Amino acid sequence: MAPSKAQAKIILVGFVALFWGSILTDGDKIGVNYGIEGTDLPSADEVVSLMKKNNIGKARIFKANTDALKALANSGIDVIVGVGSEELQAISSKQDSADAWVNDNIVAFYPATNIKYIAVGNLVLCGAHEYIPYLLPAMTNIQTALQNANLQNSIKVSTTHNMSIIAGIDFPVSKGALADNVKDTAMRSLLNFLIAHNSAPSQGTFSDDIKDSMRSILEFLSYHGSPFMANVYPYFIFTGSRGSISLEYALFQPTSPLVDGVRRYTNLFDAMVDTIISAMENLGYPDVPLIVTESGWPSFGEDVATVENAEAYNNNLIKHVLSNAGTPKRPGRGIHTYIFALFRENLKPGPTTEHDFGLFNRDQTPAYTVNFSP
């Protein structure tokens, strides 16, 4: 006998809770962003060996890449696969296109390659506004394609955002650098986020211009048990703070905490994450889990972009994430985090710092010392 609507709802809620629980407890290894915008990069097989050697347990690839997906097979590494923003229009317009994408890039490799998430588009609400009309329909079609392949319970669909979705940040801070349409590094001085005492994490709200789109995306994520994906870079917030945020606070080092009611924030990373969580709460979605799809610190290029600071930030980030301490708003709930990036990529566009977020040089030697298993 088919379950009643009430019973079906209970079953759905129970499954979602179980899946969210797996997101929040499977935080025993750090993740990395595996990009390929560099000359003389190692082969995909060599990259996977490097990750396994260093106990890196999660990888994000920005677009489906056959060599990478094959190399990741039977590695034990969890994978996020990206759908390029330029693909959204075609995928959103025809279910057949979404089915073909999933069959070619997911079904062909899963389960040998442990694909956990599909990130549909990249920072679409953060400056790539021409793709906004296609984003949610593309996510919906990819979700349907997963259902058609009976993979909807194993692989979750989401999309990435950066901190420009938060009210008070006036231009996109992109994947490791400024977005392509914001090249002038002097504009960073306009950034005025979490400064002094007037921008507490509990007051986080989404920008008005994307709030309707964000509400629809959150409804999708909540219904399907998918996580919110956020790029969280204390580096950019610090460099734009005009001295109002201490370097120690950005690097997870001892300093005066930010007090927000009963909560105390001892580092900028937690404050940024909880600002996003507050913004989701303010739209009526308090329980959507959050994955940090990018975070990092450049080791060369500007005043605080040094080897010493990059080493301090990434080691302290790994230690914090793997402790499963969570944040003041979600204590004890681990956050899957992917460091940007695995390699120093000399062909990436943008300022010099964009090339130097990598944990490793292109010859696989460490850019500096990182303990991936503190």
Side-chain angles (χ1 to χ4, degrees):
M1 181 172 62
S4 67
K5 288 184 178 179
Q7 290 171 323
K9 184 175 182 180
I10 290 171
I11 293 169
L12 174 62
V13 170
F15 170 76
V16 168
L18 285 171
F19 183 82
W20 287 3
S22 71
I23 289 176
L24 297 169
T25 57
D26 182 23
D28 56 337
K29 292 185 179 181
I30 200 70
V32 294
N33 284 262
Y34 170 23
I36 55 174
E37 294 186 82
T39 56
D40 301 319
L41 288 171
S43 69
D45 288 332
E46 290 173 320
V47 170
V48 172
S49 295
L50 180 67
M51 286 192 282
K52 292 175 67 176
K53 177 182 176 181
N54 287 279
N55 202 36
I56 295 169
K58 301 173 177 62
R60 176 190 174 203
I61 56 177
F62 291 92
K63 295 181 183 179
N65 179 290
T66 298
D67 290 340
L69 289 168
K70 285 182 177 178
L72 286 160
N74 303 309
S75 66
I77 295 172
D78 297 344
V79 182
I80 299 175
V81 181
V83 179
S85 296
E86 72 280 359
E87 300 177 84
L88 298 185
Q89 184 174 5
I91 289 174
S92 68
S93 62
K94 292 182 179 180
Q95 184 60 50
D96 286 349
S97 297
D99 291 343
W101 191 95
V102 166
N103 287 331
D104 291 345
N105 300 301
I106 304 298
V107 175
F109 303 99
Y110 184 86
T113 300
N114 193 27
I115 300 165
K116 301 283 282 188
Y117 309 106
I118 300 173
V120 179
N122 189 39
L123 307 178
V124 173
L125 298 189
C126 310
H129 290 167
E130 67 272 24
Y131 298 116
I132 289 178
Y134 312 121
L135 177 58
L136 187 58
M139 293 172 67
T140 301
N141 285 355
I142 291 290
Q143 179 69 39
T144 300
L146 288 175
Q147 292 168 351
N148 292 341
N150 199 29
L151 294 176
Q152 72 277 9
N153 294 337
S154 304
I155 301 171
K156 295 298 174 180
V157 176
S158 189
T159 187
T160 60
H161 313 278
N162 62 32
M163 294 303 294
S164 69
I165 57 175
I166 299 297
I169 297 184
D170 299 324
F171 59 89
V173 180
S174 182
K175 48 180 175 54
L178 299 181
D180 290 343
N181 60 331
V182 188
K183 297 296 187 184
D184 186 358
T185 57
M187 290 184 70
R188 291 180 188 168
S189 65
L190 299 176
L191 190 61
N192 187 17
F193 174 75
L194 283 173
I195 291 175
H197 304 291
N198 61 358
S199 190
S202 61
Q203 303 304 307
T205 58
F206 292 118
S207 298
D208 287 341
D209 60 334
I210 57 95
K211 195 170 286 186
D212 289 342
S213 296
M214 186 61 76
R215 183 179 287 108
S216 298
I217 288 171
L218 286 170
E219 181 181 10
F220 174 94
L221 300 180
S222 179
Y223 182 81
H224 293 292
S226 296
F228 190 96
M229 293 180 167
N231 297 353
V232 177
Y233 284 98
Y235 169 77
F236 288 113
I237 302 304
F238 171 79
T239 57
S241 71
R242 296 171 290 186
S244 297
I245 297 174
S246 73
L247 181 61
E248 292 79 10
Y249 190 60
L251 294 177
F252 296 91
Q253 294 173 340
T255 188
S256 299
L258 169 68
V259 178
D260 181 10
V262 298
R263 300 185 182 95
R264 293 166 59 86
Y265 289 88
T266 59
N267 63 80
L268 184 53
F269 177 88
D270 282 353
M272 293 170 69
V273 169
D274 275 2
T275 298
I276 297 172
I277 292 171
S278 293
M280 291 194 288
E281 291 173 350
N282 288 332
L283 279 187
Y285 294 91
D287 298 318
V288 174
L290 184 145
I291 289 176
V292 174
T293 36
E294 296 182 28
S295 192
W297 197 284
S299 59
F300 182 78
E302 294 179 355
D303 288 346
V304 295
T306 66
V307 167
E308 292 76 16
N309 289 339
E311 183 173 340
Y313 178 80
N314 283 317
N315 277 290
N316 288 334
L317 172 67
I318 293 169
K319 187 182 299 183
H320 181 61
V321 168
L322 297 190
S323 74
N324 287 325
T327 68
K329 283 187 77 73
R330 292 182 176 177
R333 298 173 66 177
I335 304 170
H336 285 190
T337 298
Y338 296 72
I339 295 177
F340 183 87
L342 185 58
F343 293 109
R344 301 173 73 177
E345 298 175 58
N346 61 321
L347 299 182
K348 294 189 71 65
T352 303
T353 50
E354 179 75 356
H355 305 165
D356 291 297
F357 276 81
L359 299 169
F360 293 91
N361 300 308
R362 297 189 300 280
D363 63 2
Q364 303 185 57
T365 59
Y368 42 84
T369 302
V370 176
N371 182 2
F372 295 96
S373 303

